[in-house]
Amino acid sequence: MSYNDIRGPRVVGLSVASSLNEYMMRIQELGAVEGPDGELELSPEVRPILEALHQVLSGGSVEVKVLHRGNPDIVNELNRRVQQVGQEANAINKAAGFYLTATL
């Protein structure tokens, strides 16, 4: 939605690899967002990471330091899922011959 769009929020279609959908559902399940339907917000723990990403994408630099390690099984699962998203999306896009699906 652009700043000049007076129609308000609307739903748009976005093609994603099934593994990306599964990854997004899993991180939501793990608490990346919280609140009731219609009032979801990024969790306070996730917000600074997204803000750091925005700094990197806008040409800045950041330093990330893990203060307390999480469950290694979940960390490994999420890393595997991210790798799978890239592989699946690239395979779909290659087969289509153009950029068809979103990836991480």
Side-chain angles (χ1 to χ4, degrees):
M1 180 167 74
S2 74
Y3 292 110
N4 298 324
D5 192 340
I6 60 172
R7 295 176 288 179
R10 61 189 188 280
V11 175
V12 297
L14 176 65
S15 296
V16 298
S18 62
S19 58
L20 178 54
N21 181 63
E22 292 165 5
Y23 173 76
M24 292 187 315
M25 296 303 292
R26 182 65 170 131
I27 63 172
Q28 183 171 340
E29 178 183 87
L30 290 168
V33 293
E34 2 180 272
D37 289 344
E39 296 180 25
L40 288 175
E41 293 187 6
L42 286 174
S43 73
E45 296 82 13
V46 171
R47 183 170 299 282
I49 302 303
L50 188 60
E51 291 171 357
L53 175 62
H54 292 169
Q55 289 296 326
V56 169
L57 295 174
S58 66
S61 60
V62 300
E63 181 178 334
V64 177
K65 181 178 179 182
V66 176
L67 301 178
H68 175 73
R69 295 201 175 274
N71 180 315
D73 292 333
I74 294 174
V75 171
N76 290 333
E77 172 202 347
L78 295 174
N79 287 337
R80 270 192 321 273
R81 286 179 181 271
V82 167
Q83 183 177 20
Q84 182 181 4
V85 168
Q87 291 171 344
E88 188 175 301
N90 284 327
I92 291 168
N93 292 338
K94 185 175 184 177
F98 60 95
Y99 184 76
L100 177 65
T101 64
T103 187
L104 292 178

